[in-house]
Amino acid sequence: MSQCQIAVLVGSLRKDSYNRRMATAIARLAPPEFTFTQLEIGDLPPYNEDDDAHQAAPVLRLKAAISSAQGLLFLTPEYNRSIPGVLKNAIDHASRPYGKSSFAGKPAGVLGVSLGAIGTAMAQQHLRNVLAYLDAPTLGQPEAFLQAKDGLFDESGNIGADSKQFLQGWMDKYVDWVKRHTV
């Protein structure tokens, strides 16, 4: 496989969010032919169907980045047992206007980090439902509901020793998933 571009959507705008840190760290576990690019979603206007005919520049940028990618990676916190509004807003923009979704057929992976013991289980399930509707085949196993606690990341921002084997296994399955759906 030649170079494989992965569009990464992080559902948190906070600069030092656990999910942004995980997006950076887990990308380091991928083979060299995979490139991960975190997409900007904080500058998107609130979705309004009235704007579909004249989408704003940040929306067009997002749609182009997703369209040119071979795969998708979502990292979501859990807000009130669901995905954050900012992530849903980005998904709504990139899937519109109706019939012109940037997600169709793109293989996806879903991860999430939270302070809670069940990680982001509910948010991930909601996100998987949305992605199924958008025809983005999503890796089902292994699931990764990650709790933010000491040792999840090392001093250099890499995956910590206690989680590295599990997350390397997740990344290996994700890479195979993307290859299976893009060849």
Side-chain angles (χ1 to χ4, degrees), residues 110-111 124 128 139-144 166 169-171 173-174:
V110 176
L111 293 170
Q124 287 190 42
R128 288 171 186 283
L139 178 66
Q141 295 292 325
E143 295 176 307
F166 171 73
W170 186 94
M171 179 56 76
K173 293 281 189 179
Y174 173 73

Side-chain angles (χ1 to χ4, degrees), residues 27-65:
R28 295 176 184 149
L29 300 179
E33 68 269 17
F34 274 65
T35 303
F36 293 75
T37 303
Q38 293 182 34
L39 306 183
E40 174 62 45
I41 63 172
D43 61 349
L44 298 172
Y47 176 73
N48 181 340
E49 189 175 2
D50 291 342
D51 299 330
D52 280 358
H54 304 286
Q55 293 174 316
V59 174
L60 296 174
R61 179 199 68 226
L62 176 70
K63 288 181 65 105

Side-chain angles (χ1 to χ4, degrees), residues 3-5 11 18 28 31 38 40 45 52 56 80-81 89 102 110 118 120 127-128 130 143 149 157 159 168 175 182:
Q3 198 63 30
C4 186
Q5 180 62 41
Y18 297 119
R28 295 176 184 149
Q38 293 182 34
E40 174 62 45
D52 280 358
N80 302 312
R81 298 282 188 237
N89 187 54
S102 300
V110 176
I118 63 168
T120 59
L127 180 54
R128 288 171 186 283
V130 172
E143 295 176 307
K149 57 184 179 179
I159 304 296
Q168 183 65 63
V175 165
T182 57

Side-chain angles (χ1 to χ4, degrees), residues 8-175:
V8 180
L9 287 99
V10 177
S12 175
L13 300 180
R14 190 168 65 90
K15 180 180 162 194
D16 293 323
S17 80
Y18 297 119
N19 287 283
R20 188 164 307 286
R21 290 173 65 192
M22 180 57 66
T24 299
I26 202 157
R28 295 176 184 149
L29 300 179
E33 68 269 17
F34 274 65
T35 303
F36 293 75
T37 303
Q38 293 182 34
L39 306 183
E40 174 62 45
I41 63 172
D43 61 349
L44 298 172
Y47 176 73
N48 181 340
E49 189 175 2
D50 291 342
D51 299 330
D52 280 358
H54 304 286
Q55 293 174 316
V59 174
L60 296 174
R61 179 199 68 226
L62 176 70
K63 288 181 65 105
I66 292 169
S67 293
S68 67
Q70 286 73 51
L72 307 166
L73 179 60
F74 292 85
L75 287 102
T76 185
E78 185 167 297
Y79 293 174
N80 302 312
R81 298 282 188 237
S82 191
I83 60 175
V86 68
L87 180 57
K88 182 64 165 70
N89 187 54
I91 291 168
D92 289 345
H93 273 299
S95 66
R96 296 301 194 145
Y98 184 79
K100 296 186 179 180
S101 174
S102 300
F103 296 112
K106 302 278 181 184
V110 176
L111 293 170
V113 181
S114 167
L115 292 172
I118 63 168
T120 59
M122 293 295 294
Q124 287 190 42
Q125 186 58 50
H126 288 177
L127 180 54
R128 288 171 186 283
N129 290 340
V130 172
L131 294 173
Y133 174 76
L134 295 175
D135 193 30
T138 305
L139 178 66
Q141 295 292 325
E143 295 176 307
F145 310 125
L146 306 169
Q147 185 178 22
K149 57 184 179 179
D150 287 341
L152 181 58
F153 303 103
D154 67 16
E155 308 79 39
S156 301
N158 296 309
I159 304 296
D162 292 343
S163 300
K164 189 168 185 177
Q165 181 178 355
F166 171 73
L167 288 171
Q168 183 65 63
W170 186 94
M171 179 56 76
D172 294 346
K173 293 281 189 179
Y174 173 73
V175 165

